[in-house]
Amino acid sequence: MNTLPAPFEERMKKQLGSEAPAFFKALQTEAPVSIRLNPGKYREIHSIPLPGRQTSAVSWCENACYLAERPVFTLDPGFHGGAYYVQEASSMFLHHILKQLLPARPVRMLDLCAAPGGKSTLAASLLSPESLLVSNEVIRSRAAILKENIIKWGHSNIVVTSNDPRDFRPLRETFDIILVDAPCSGEGMFRKDPLSVKEWSESNLQLCSERQCRILSEIWDCLKPEGFLIYSTCTYNPEENESVLSWLLRTFEARSIPINHSFDSITPGEADFPCYRFYPHKTQGEGFFTGIVQKQTASSGLSRKNKKQKFSKPEPLPGYLQNYLLRPEQYITYRNENITGIVLANHAEFIRQLEQSLRITYKGCEIAEINNRKIKLLPPLALWQGLNRKACAVYEADLKTALTYLKKEDIPAIPVKADWLLVSYKDIALGWCKNLGSRLNNYYPKEWRIRMDLNTDKHPES
Ligand code: SAM
């Protein structure tokens, strides 16, 4: 790790007092490695072929564990198939929060600052299938990895958007839960990200704080009355944390919400309202801060009615494709140029409303590309939890073949009479191959392929 900036050290000494030496010592150790299982693909952590030796569970998140050391995740097909997500443990506290906040009825949730998708995939696993998650990332280059991770997680009740927070303004009082995992100075990631050490400065910290308030003020009207806003950062300083929440509570009609827990390792924030801080010398994880507020009354400002649009009746999915869906009756189809996809029928109207204001980059599940009656099955269908596996001819690959497939190279043909083969490794679907009899066409997406040379021992992670 780069040498810590002197003003940061001074701040932390003041903030932590006698605990400061333990904090600085923890920063010199390796960051723990933790993963969170995809319960839609594996029911429990014991059933998954883990990419490394599990040491202990993450206390505040079901089906999440620490690994004894960092494996080369790129070499594990399960990583590419969305069997689990590599996520630092402190931020998995969102699981504990959502367990307390989520009502029994379906909700609409917005994850405003979502890339690369750690918290969106966590939320997706907890939301009911009738709920809808809008997962947004403003930075276009980061929006691509968000979309990839969402597709691999395999839910069809997610819409991925790439918008500035201000673009959400027309969606007044729309969301039951908004998560603002705000862009921040990244102090909590110093162990993992040397660049954040280099870029740290007092002035950047002030800029971050102002931007955080601006983001919150732009999105506040989109929260329903009684709805919850979860604010989080990966920093320690009060300017980006307690001060921002305090400003929010002073500016809008909101009350702070405590989260019940019995984890001694979590430090209460320095405020007269409940908030929670995670330090690496106390928790097995990185720096993290969170606090929750609930909207008290309707927001101010004029309600902007969304224009009602007439949409053509959705075309039915061709019968051949319907077989691939476990519950075809629940969905309606959409066409986007040559791409045919599905969304849950009870989300369709809301998604149409979103389309009037937002740049949607992905919705539901893309099923097939249809060109002059020629059908090409698409990767999201293979990775989707709603795929009817019984309709598929499955190519169960060994490790070498699975990695060759993920590199988008040729894999050996097998004697089977089917046009399309679902390539799978230890029951985790990876993608499609077109069967040409004597050979197979590899349809793994080029932009997702493993770029690493599998024959060398230099193993950079993807
Ligand atoms: N929630 C993500 C996860 O768990 O994987 C991490 C989010 S990261 C802390 C903050 C995100 O906010 C980044 O992806 C960043 O690109 C995005 N961001 C940057 N500037 C923003 C802005 N002005 N408004 C909204 N989001 C912004």
Side-chain angles (χ1 to χ4, degrees):
M1 192 176 70
N2 292 332
T3 317
L4 294 173
F8 170 76
E9 280 196 353
E10 280 314 304
R11 277 173 162 270
M12 294 312 294
K13 280 179 190 160
K14 244 167 101 184
Q15 190 163 323
L16 284 166
S18 60
E19 285 184 28
F23 169 77
F24 291 120
K25 199 171 158 204
L27 287 193
Q28 299 309 320
T29 61
E30 284 279 311
V33 184
S34 44
I35 62 170
R36 180 173 41 76
L37 175 82
N38 185 344
K41 302 206 178 188
Y42 278 106
R43 289 273 161 261
E44 48 192 27
I45 205 104
H46 312 289
S47 56
I48 173 178
L50 287 173
R53 187 167 61 80
Q54 174 185 350
T55 51
S56 55
V58 176
S59 356
W60 39 77
C61 184
E62 278 162 28
N63 286 323
C65 70
Y66 296 96
L67 299 179
E69 56 204 22
R70 193 171 189 87
V72 182
F73 287 110
T74 305
L75 297 181
D76 177 25
F79 171 75
H80 302 273
Y84 57 87
Y85 193 95
V86 185
Q87 186 174 33
E88 80 76 25
S90 305
S91 56
M92 294 185 202
F93 190 60
L94 178 64
H95 179 102
H96 191 78
I97 297 174
L98 286 175
K99 278 283 212 188
Q100 283 183 41
L101 298 187
L102 281 174
R105 62 179 168 80
V107 296
R108 288 172 181 170
M109 176 170 171
L110 167 64
D111 181 1
L112 185 66
C113 316
K119 297 189 186 62
S120 275
T121 53
L122 185 155
S125 296
L126 284 175
L127 294 178
S128 63
E130 302 76 29
S131 295
L132 185 105
L133 174 66
V134 177
S135 184
N136 178 68
E137 170 56 46
V138 61
I139 312 270
R140 295 279 162 103
S141 54
R142 290 174 61 81
I145 182 69
L146 174 65
K147 178 174 159 183
E148 177 181 335
N149 283 331
I150 294 291
I151 290 174
K152 289 179 173 175
W153 207 244
H155 287 249
S156 54
N157 58 347
I158 307 181
V159 172
V160 183
T161 59
S162 183
N163 284 88
D164 189 276
R166 80 174 83 89
D167 300 337
F168 284 81
R169 276 190 211 149
L171 298 162
R172 279 195 80 235
E173 298 182 359
T174 297
F175 296 100
D176 302 274
I177 299 183
I178 297 181
L179 168 63
V180 178
D181 187 33
C184 67
S185 61
E187 295 166 344
M189 290 294 151
F190 276 5
R191 267 199 302 204
K192 292 177 80 176
D193 178 14
L195 196 65
S196 57
V197 184
K198 253 176 117 182
E199 285 178 352
W200 190 95
S201 69
E202 290 277 354
S203 58
N204 185 37
L205 187 150
Q206 299 307 332
L207 282 176
C208 286
S209 177
E210 285 161 25
R211 179 169 58 183
Q212 286 146 358
C213 293
R214 198 169 58 242
I215 291 174
L216 289 170
S217 64
E218 277 165 350
I219 210 65
W220 181 254
D221 272 2
C222 301
L223 191 62
K224 283 184 186 170
E226 307 296 317
F228 297 105
L229 186 140
I230 305 168
Y231 177 74
S232 62
T233 71
C234 53
T235 51
Y236 307 109
N237 69 75
E239 287 90 332
E240 295 183 72
N241 294 317
E242 286 90 340
S243 305
V244 173
L245 276 179
S246 169
W247 169 85
L248 182 72
L249 289 163
R250 285 194 313 275
T251 311
F252 301 104
E253 290 201 48
R255 69 183 179 111
S256 84
I257 296 292
I259 295 298
N260 300 324
H261 75 85
S262 54
F263 307 112
D264 296 339
S265 56
I266 300 176
T267 309
E270 295 280 327
D272 52 8
F273 51 85
C275 48
Y276 310 90
R277 197 178 257 107
F278 294 66
Y279 287 113
H281 63 291
K282 295 184 77 177
T283 58
Q284 228 187 316
E286 303 312 286
F288 184 63
F289 171 92
T290 189
I292 295 95
V293 301
Q294 183 173 31
K295 190 182 242 184
Q296 289 294 76
T297 57
S299 45
S300 58
L302 292 171
S303 170
R304 266 180 267 177
K305 282 250 156 65
N306 285 311
K307 278 183 273 159
K308 274 254 181 247
Q309 280 193 10
K310 279 242 174 260
F311 285 85
S312 51
K313 221 168 160 241
E315 290 169 46
L317 208 56
Y320 170 76
L321 288 178
Q322 283 207 16
N323 295 337
Y324 283 107
L325 274 58
L326 274 178
R327 291 185 193 83
E329 70 286 354
Q330 294 188 339
Y331 305 97
I332 64 160
T333 46
Y334 64 81
R335 282 293 289 272
N336 189 358
E337 296 177 357
N338 294 333
I339 300 211
T340 293
I342 54 89
V343 293
L344 273 168
N346 61 351
H347 290 158
E349 190 48 46
F350 179 54
I351 293 174
R352 283 172 191 147
Q353 275 178 33
L354 296 177
E355 272 164 347
Q356 293 174 49
S357 338
L358 302 177
R359 181 176 172 267
I360 293 185
T361 63
Y362 191 75
K363 60 188 175 200
C365 181
E366 289 181 357
I367 303 288
E369 198 179 308
I370 306 177
N371 267 323
N372 299 328
R373 298 229 188 120
K374 271 198 181 155
I375 292 179
K376 186 170 122 190
L377 298 185
L378 293 174
L381 175 65
L383 292 147
W384 181 34
Q385 296 176 22
L387 171 70
N388 177 17
R389 279 224 182 191
K390 289 196 181 125
C392 306
V394 178
Y395 184 131
E396 188 56 41
D398 58 18
L399 180 63
K400 187 165 169 255
T401 311
L403 291 173
T404 309
Y405 174 76
L406 292 166
K407 272 183 79 66
K408 203 171 167 56
E409 290 174 358
D410 291 342
I411 59 169
I414 51 166
V416 58
K417 274 199 178 145
D419 286 347
W420 290 93
L421 304 183
L422 180 72
V423 182
S424 157
Y425 175 75
K426 295 195 174 168
D427 266 352
I428 286 290
L430 303 174
W432 300 108
C433 266
K434 180 91 192 273
N435 188 7
L436 304 177
S438 55
R439 65 183 179 88
L440 303 176
N441 266 355
N442 185 334
Y443 275 92
Y444 197 67
K446 198 164 116 222
E447 58 287 8
W448 294 359
R449 76 190 187 280
I450 295 180
R451 290 176 174 84
M452 193 170 110
D453 181 355
L454 301 180
N455 298 317
T456 72
D457 53 4
K458 283 187 207 128
H459 288 159
E461 267 169 32
S462 64

